Amino acid sequence: MEWLYFFKGINVAAILDGKALSSRIRADLKVKLDQGINNGLPRPFLTTMQVGDDLPSTVYIRAKQRACEEIGIGFRHFRLPAETGMDALRKAVSEVNDDPSVHGLLVQSPLPSHLNEIEVQRMVAPEKDVDCFHPENVGLLYIGNARFRPCTAAGIIDLLLAYGFDPAGKNVVIIGRSVIVGRPLALMMMLKARGGNATVTVCHSRTRDLPSITRQADILVPAIGIAEMIRGDWVKEGVIVVDVGINRIPDATKKRGYRLVGDVAFREVEPKAEAIAPVPGGVGPMTVAILSRNVMNAAGYIDNYS
Ligand code: NAD
């Protein structure tokens, strides 16, 4: 690519192509699945549950279903009415917990506000908790002995490693402290393990002078949910950026009236970056690939470290 830099006189960042990598991961999982079935293992099976009809959730579940079907993982989705209470949800979850033909179960978040998210996470049998939200699995992750790898955080790490960007020894700045993304990623990147060993800084909504911190990042991971918040002068030359944010902005040229952008102002940041994961096509498909991997793990096909 050097000739291209010379020709254009500007930097061209490598694209961390999560779409292409996730497709390779799915192909690899399919081979493992076919081998397992031939050796008498049961077909891995994922059940998803959704309470209400939040549109982004429906889109995410469809992506999970497509990935499962491509690999050969069995899939079933239950959509429960928005007014479903804790007792009815508990009953639905325990029926799946008790079904030996189901290996993975996830209850899609966000849940309607009358439901207690933490209690719901505790309902799912830990050995089927492929999202890694159950406190037992969070605890196992914390002590460095994970049963499942949290999907988005593991997807980010695997994307970096696949392109040769090992976080070890790097200054990693994560923006966002959510239980789904920021917190598990910070933990995994500081663990003494493959994909870890980084020096991690976690920023959030109360962080003062955020740009002065993001400018120190060797690897920057925004997981905020604010469209194009990270500007070109917030990063240093040579930064590696993994944009987690998924934001809709109005776009009259699109049939659906909007397009998806990340938390990073791509056109400003890309010329300074050594590598950047785009939105869409970066972390999103990796998250789904790791979920599929976790289902195969739950069904006894692979472990976390294979
Ligand atoms: P969240 O709302 O739970 O967390 C957002 C975080 O951003 C919070 O920790 C908050 O402190 C921080 N924040 C908010 N405003 C800030 C500011 N002005 N300055 C600094 N920090 C600020 O969201 P989440 O579930 O972690 O998701 C974050 C984004 O990532 C969303 O856009 C979501 O759609 C996306 N996401 C993508 C994937 C994927 O697979 N690609 C998975 C999960 C979430």
Side-chain angles (χ1 to χ4, degrees), residues 34-35 75-76 84 144 154 164 221 233 235-236 274 287 290 295:
D34 292 343
Q35 282 167 353
F75 181 89
R76 184 163 182 199
T84 302
V221 189
D233 61 350
V235 299
K236 69 176 182 187
E274 181 175 352
T287 300
I290 302 291
V295 178

Side-chain angles (χ1 to χ4, degrees), residues 56 60 109 151-153 156 174-183 202-207 210 222-227 229-230 234 243-248 261-263 279 282-288:
Y60 296 145
S109 63
C151 302
T152 303
I156 292 164
I174 298 166
I175 315 175
R177 55 182 161 186
S178 73
V179 170
I180 297 185
V181 189
R183 242 181 279 182
V202 180
C203 303
H204 45 76
S205 53
R206 302 289 292 270
T207 297
L210 186 57
I224 312 160
I226 300 179
M229 180 175 142
I230 310 296
W234 289 33
D243 191 352
V244 185
I246 303 174
N247 311 290
R248 289 175 179 203
V261 297
D263 292 342
V279 177
V283 177
M286 289 300 296
T287 300
V288 179

